[in-house]
């Protein structure tokens, strides 16, 4: 439970830190022709990979 709380805290903090730069990030994504849909799927896959690594470390 402690790991999940830390993960949620880090994710929330990163969201709050990067929120003011939303427009800049959208410009970067459009300049490399990566749609928001593709970016969401990439972040989902990355989250699954990081979660898997964390679970391997814990167990």
């Amino acid at each position: 439970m402690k790991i999940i709380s830390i993960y949620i805290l880090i994710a929330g903090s990163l969201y709050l830190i990067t929120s003011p730069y939303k427009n800049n990030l959208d410009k970067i994504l459009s300049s490399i022709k990566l749609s928001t849909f593709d970016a969401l799927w990439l972040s989902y896959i990355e989250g699954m990979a990081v979660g898997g690594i964390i679970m391997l470390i814990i167990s």
Side-chain angles (χ1 to χ4, degrees):
M1 189 67 174
K2 188 177 187 182
I3 297 293
I4 294 172
S5 300
I6 292 171
Y7 182 77
I8 291 172
L9 181 67
I10 290 171
S13 298
L14 286 174
Y15 174 78
L16 292 175
I17 290 170
T18 58
S19 183
Y21 305 106
K22 185 174 95 169
N23 291 332
N24 292 342
L25 292 173
D26 285 340
K27 288 178 188 175
I28 291 170
L29 290 175
S30 66
S31 72
I32 59 173
K33 295 185 169 120
L34 185 66
S35 69
T36 306
F37 179 77
D38 292 335
L40 286 173
W41 273 106
L42 285 174
S43 67
Y44 175 74
I45 292 168
E46 179 186 357
M48 293 296 284
V50 170
I53 292 170
I54 289 172
M55 292 305 287
L56 284 174
I57 292 171
I58 291 173
S59 60

